[in-house]
Amino acid sequence: MKNREKSPVVPYLDKRLIFRLRIYTLVMIFMLLVISGEVLSGTFSVAWALGGILIGLGVGTLATRMYRLSWDEDTSHVISRIDWIGGIILICYLTFVFTRTYYLSYWVQGAPLMGIIFSITAGTMLGRVLGTRRGINKVLKTWHILIKGTPT
């Protein structure tokens, strides 16, 4: 079998950061599969699914700031830490996660509600992956480890 070439960024990432990104990606893929099945079965429309994904994408991009990415000189890795701004964003994000069903149930009930919740979750995970990737590239470019135009 052919070995896949790894991204040139991976050797510079903390193992916990890689693990977190993998979990986000797996959750996103699972949610997208469920959403696709629900849309194909006609439970809810593509418009609702795309709307939920776009809302989640915005929330995920904002939630990316929970973890402050920085370069650790000792380990030569990009690491993530929660600072006080990240703590406030974490509280807001958790409030959103636990109350979205309550507030959305005023407008949508039943299976479409589940579809919208899954769409928002998938979009949130996508936003977090893309935002974290952008932050990693920014840190590596700042330290001149990643050259502009290098694929990630």
Side-chain angles (χ1 to χ4, degrees):
M1 289 190 103
K2 207 176 192 183
N3 279 343
R4 291 188 306 165
E5 287 190 31
K6 289 201 173 202
S7 170
V9 174
V10 171
Y12 301 106
L13 300 181
D14 183 43
K15 288 184 186 341
R16 289 179 291 177
L17 183 59
I18 293 170
F19 180 73
R20 189 178 317 128
L21 288 172
R22 285 182 180 161
I23 292 295
Y24 294 160
T25 304
L26 288 174
V27 169
M28 178 187 62
I29 290 169
F30 175 75
M31 293 294 173
L32 289 174
L33 288 173
V34 171
I35 293 165
S36 299
E38 293 296 320
V39 167
L40 290 174
S41 71
T43 305
F44 62 97
S45 71
V46 174
W48 279 106
L50 290 176
I53 289 171
L54 289 175
I55 290 169
L57 188 62
V59 171
T61 302
L62 292 174
T64 299
R65 177 50 186 90
M66 260 191 294
Y67 293 96
R68 188 174 155 271
L69 299 174
S70 61
W71 183 257
D72 184 21
E73 290 280 337
D74 297 334
T75 62
S76 296
H77 285 104
V78 176
I79 59 170
S80 61
R81 298 220 163 112
I82 294 181
D83 57 2
W84 68 274
I85 295 172
I88 292 170
I89 293 171
L90 176 63
I91 291 169
C92 293
Y93 176 71
L94 289 175
T95 302
F96 169 76
V97 166
F98 291 121
T99 61
R100 66 184 169 199
T101 304
Y102 176 75
Y103 289 111
L104 286 174
S105 67
Y106 285 121
W107 294 284
V108 182
Q109 288 84 29
L113 176 63
M114 184 233 18
I116 292 171
I117 296 298
F118 279 10
S119 298
I120 291 173
T121 302
T124 302
M125 296 299 120
L126 177 62
R128 292 186 76 177
V129 168
L130 294 176
T132 303
R133 183 177 174 186
R134 186 179 65 238
I136 290 168
N137 287 340
K138 187 177 173 182
V139 169
L140 292 177
K141 284 177 185 175
T142 301
W143 284 88
H144 304 291
I145 294 168
L146 184 66
I147 312 301
K148 235 181 192 173
T150 303
T152 56

